[in-house]
Amino acid sequence: MAYHVLPDLVISDDDLVVTYIHASGPGGQNVNKVATAVQLRFDAARCAALTSRIRARLRLLAGSRMTREGAVILTAQRFRSQTRNREDAIERLCDLLRQAAHVPTRRIATRPSRTQRRRRMDDKARRGQVKQGRGRPALD
């Protein structure tokens, strides 16, 4: 099965390694018997569908979830069933890849106009006068 992250980015099921682990937290008697949590491992370093730009941005966005070898590891344990946790982990990976593929718009540095600078300085002077007027009255 293939997952369409973007129109030009498709992740194969072969790129994903899914293991089931015991979930932490409350769950009654069932929590110790059934491994419902999902640990999804995506080897981004060896995935042919990713460009080097997406790979570099993914490293920044994934943070501690990415290993030194370049594998992204996500753990999903929000739901009580394996299938829903698996779908949740895959959806979170797709969201992470969509964020990595998005090119952020570059900020264009602007300068305040002369009028804005003058208005700012006038406001600061006015504010200083108000604060000076709050002092003790002078003994004449």
Side-chain angles (χ1 to χ4, degrees), residues 19-86:
T19 53
Y20 298 99
I21 56 176
H22 286 287
S24 64
Q29 296 174 345
N30 210 31
V31 75
N32 296 323
K33 295 186 291 183
V34 182
T36 56
V38 172
Q39 191 172 51
L40 179 73
R41 186 179 187 91
F42 171 65
D43 199 357
R46 288 169 187 72
C47 181
L50 298 181
T51 62
S52 60
R53 185 186 60 78
I54 293 176
R55 215 174 267 120
R57 189 145 158 74
L58 181 64
R59 181 170 292 283
L60 289 173
L61 291 172
S64 63
R65 294 175 289 187
M66 184 175 263
T67 63
R68 287 190 187 103
E69 294 79 34
V72 177
I73 299 174
L74 297 174
T75 304
Q77 57 183 8
R78 196 177 347 174
F79 302 104
R80 288 189 174 198
S81 69
Q82 282 183 348
T83 54
R84 287 186 68 189
N85 280 330
R86 184 177 193 276

